[in-house]
């Protein structure tokens, strides 16, 4: 870091700070209208390797090491750092994403307490640390995903009764979903859920109100993702809580045909297909193979198609519904 002096249009530079680091972030941590540096460096304490984050503030004359914290030991390598500002408390929050010592990623959350002028840890969230709650297999970083100036943390879970299968898998597995949450000072509040279909370069964003009302079947070989309703009184996009008419026994075969693998068709006949999204390179499909599907957009080298089934139409699913949740 240099201080610049200008005298008679002559610039002079003075080195006021120099230090090795592994990562750093440049921001106003203590809200004094001056930029600070939080610098991360690997160290070895009592034979145990760790990563320390140190706050350096810059006054009129020199820099000052104000406070430091140790990154959660679950993180072996820091790969991303973002911050936000809590207007209610006046505290800056620092989100440290990193690769775990074993496998996957997680997030450590550290807060600058403006009253104590020091770093503090958030209150225990469901009696576990943030780094434990935020463990995930996907390389997804914390971000302000909805442009509200509050950073969301990605948590990973699996959709109930879902299935993912392809010729490359020895057996089907549940569909993973990223739950984007905000820390409100007391708990992690879900803001949205996102299903990432990385094989076809798109994702599906689901509101917390609709999550839990559906399950999915993901056929990676054909590039088809199908949504199924879980209960008759809960729909993906049901307007005015309208329920579909009951089907006669003669039509039960159609419902059974649309069941995701692993469903108990005798006890769960009420589960029906709502809609499907198909992603494919245009040359891979002919007009007859895409019968029933309509194009919705093209991006990332793929054309994306959709098909809405009778249960979906009854529930109020439209092209605009699907278009609003599809991210390419």
């Amino acid at each position: 870091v240099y201080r610049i002096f200008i005298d008679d249009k002559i610039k002079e530079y003075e080195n006021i700070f120099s230090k090795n680091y592994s990562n750093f972030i440049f921001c106003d941590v203590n809200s004094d209208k001056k930029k600070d540096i939080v610098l991360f460096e690997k160290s070895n304490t009592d034979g145990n390797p760790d990563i320390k984050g140190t706050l350096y503030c810059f006054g009129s004359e020199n820099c000052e090491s104000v406070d430091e914290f140790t990154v959660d030991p679950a993180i072996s390598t820091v790969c991303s750092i973002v911050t936000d500002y809590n207007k209610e408390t006046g505290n800056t929050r620092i989100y440290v994403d990193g690769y775990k010592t074993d496998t996957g990623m997680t997030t450590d959350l550290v807060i600058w307490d403006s009253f104590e002028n020091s770093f503090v840890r958030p209150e225990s969230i469901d009696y576990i640390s943030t780094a434990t709650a935020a463990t995930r297999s996907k390389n997804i970083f914390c971000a302000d995903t909805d442009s509200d100036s509050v950073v969301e943390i990605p948590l990973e879970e699996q959709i109930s009764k879902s299935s993912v299968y392809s010729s490359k898998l020895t057996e089907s597995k549940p569909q993973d979903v990223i739950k984007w949450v905000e820390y409100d000072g007391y708990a992690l509040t879900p803001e949205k859920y996102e299903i990432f279909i990385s094989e076809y370069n798109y994702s599906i964003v689901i509101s917390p109100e609709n999550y839990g009302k559906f399950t999915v079947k993901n056929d990676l070989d054909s590039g088809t993702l199908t949504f199924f309703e879980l209960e008759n009184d809960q729909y993906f996009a049901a307007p005015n809580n309208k329920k579909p008419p009951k089907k006669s026994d003669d039509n039960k075969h159609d419902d059974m045909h649309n069941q995701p693998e692993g469903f108990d068709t005798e006890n769960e006949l009420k589960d029906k297909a709502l809609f499907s999204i198909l992603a494919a390179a245009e040359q891979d499909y002919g007009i007859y193979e895409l019968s029933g599907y309509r194009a919705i957009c093209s991006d990332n080298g793929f054309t994306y198609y959709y098909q809405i089934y009778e249960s979906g139409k009854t529930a109020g699913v439209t092209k605009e519904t699907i278009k609003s949740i599809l991210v390419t």
Side-chain angles (χ1 to χ4, degrees):
V1 177
Y2 294 87
R3 179 185 291 112
I4 302 174
F5 299 92
I6 301 178
D7 186 17
D8 293 332
K9 298 182 179 181
I10 298 176
K11 291 184 179 180
E12 295 184 5
Y13 299 85
E14 178 188 2
N15 186 323
I16 61 173
F17 179 81
S18 180
K19 193 171 182 63
N20 293 329
Y21 67 91
S22 58
N23 297 84
F24 78 93
I25 189 168
F26 191 50
C27 63
D28 182 9
V29 174
N30 54 6
S31 304
D32 63 352
K33 309 299 182 183
K34 298 177 182 178
K35 294 291 186 180
D36 310 309
I37 291 178
V38 179
L39 186 145
F40 293 83
E41 56 185 330
K42 294 186 176 182
S43 61
N44 199 305
T45 305
D46 298 329
N48 298 316
D50 54 27
I51 303 173
K52 289 190 179 297
T54 306
L55 170 62
Y56 293 95
C57 296
F58 293 83
S60 58
E61 298 298 330
N62 51 28
C63 74
E64 178 185 6
S65 172
V66 178
D67 197 18
E68 68 177 22
F69 62 90
T70 300
V71 175
D72 191 290
I75 293 177
S76 61
T77 304
V78 174
C79 52
S80 175
I81 311 151
V82 293
T83 67
D84 64 13
Y85 178 74
N86 188 330
K87 295 180 180 179
E88 295 183 2
T89 62
N91 296 336
T92 298
R93 295 176 290 209
I94 302 175
Y95 304 79
V96 183
D97 289 322
Y99 296 111
K100 298 183 62 180
T101 52
D102 45 13
T103 183
M105 291 190 65
T106 191
T107 300
D108 191 18
L109 174 58
V110 182
I111 301 172
W112 174 260
D113 190 315
S114 58
F115 181 76
E116 297 291 341
N117 287 322
S118 64
F119 289 114
V120 297
R121 292 287 176 179
E123 295 293 332
S124 177
I125 303 168
D126 294 331
Y127 303 102
I128 60 175
S129 68
T130 306
T132 300
T135 295
R136 53 195 181 271
S137 60
K138 294 184 179 297
N139 291 346
I140 299 175
F141 304 151
C142 293
D144 178 11
T145 61
D146 51 9
S147 302
D148 64 350
S149 300
V150 179
V151 170
E152 283 83 41
I153 304 172
L155 311 186
E156 189 174 65
E157 59 183 58
Q158 296 175 331
I159 298 177
S160 174
K161 300 182 181 180
S162 62
S163 64
V164 179
Y165 57 92
S166 77
S167 56
K168 297 180 181 180
L169 298 174
T170 55
E171 59 182 7
S172 63
K173 62 179 183 178
Q175 176 66 56
D176 293 330
V177 62
I178 293 296
K179 177 168 68 172
W180 292 98
V181 300
E182 291 182 358
Y183 178 66
D184 61 6
Y186 306 96
L188 297 175
T189 305
E191 293 298 311
K192 64 182 177 182
Y193 294 79
E194 190 164 8
I195 305 171
F196 285 89
I197 312 298
S198 55
E199 294 82 0
Y200 295 95
N201 294 331
Y202 77 96
S203 67
I204 299 294
V205 176
I206 309 297
S207 68
E209 293 76 17
N210 283 321
Y211 187 74
K213 300 178 182 180
F214 65 88
T215 190
V216 299
K217 179 174 68 173
N218 186 1
D219 183 348
L220 293 177
D221 289 337
S222 67
T224 306
L225 177 68
T226 303
F227 284 76
F228 297 81
E229 62 183 348
L230 283 179
E231 295 182 14
N232 279 340
D233 59 348
Q234 293 181 328
Y235 297 108
F236 186 81
N240 302 321
N241 296 320
K242 185 187 297 183
K243 297 183 181 181
K246 293 183 178 179
K247 286 198 172 184
S248 64
D249 291 341
D250 295 338
N251 292 327
K252 285 185 177 179
H253 174 73
D254 292 335
D255 291 335
M256 294 173 65
H257 179 72
N258 286 329
Q259 296 298 323
E261 288 186 354
F263 266 48
D264 183 345
T265 55
E266 291 185 0
N267 297 327
E268 301 191 48
L269 289 176
K270 57 187 177 182
D271 295 12
K272 298 181 291 293
L274 293 168
F275 64 92
S276 293
I277 295 175
L278 186 150
E282 189 171 345
Q283 65 272 17
D284 290 344
Y285 286 86
I287 186 170
Y288 296 105
E289 293 177 285
L290 285 173
S291 178
Y293 283 90
R294 294 186 178 184
I296 193 168
C297 68
S298 295
D299 201 358
N300 305 316
F302 293 96
T303 297
Y304 301 95
Y305 303 85
Y306 74 97
Q307 181 171 184
I308 304 173
Y309 305 106
E310 287 303 317
S311 294
K313 294 176 183 177
T314 304
V317 179
T318 66
K319 176 183 178 179
E320 294 305 315
T321 303
I322 299 172
K323 194 172 183 180
S324 68
I325 64 175
L326 177 66
V327 179
T328 59

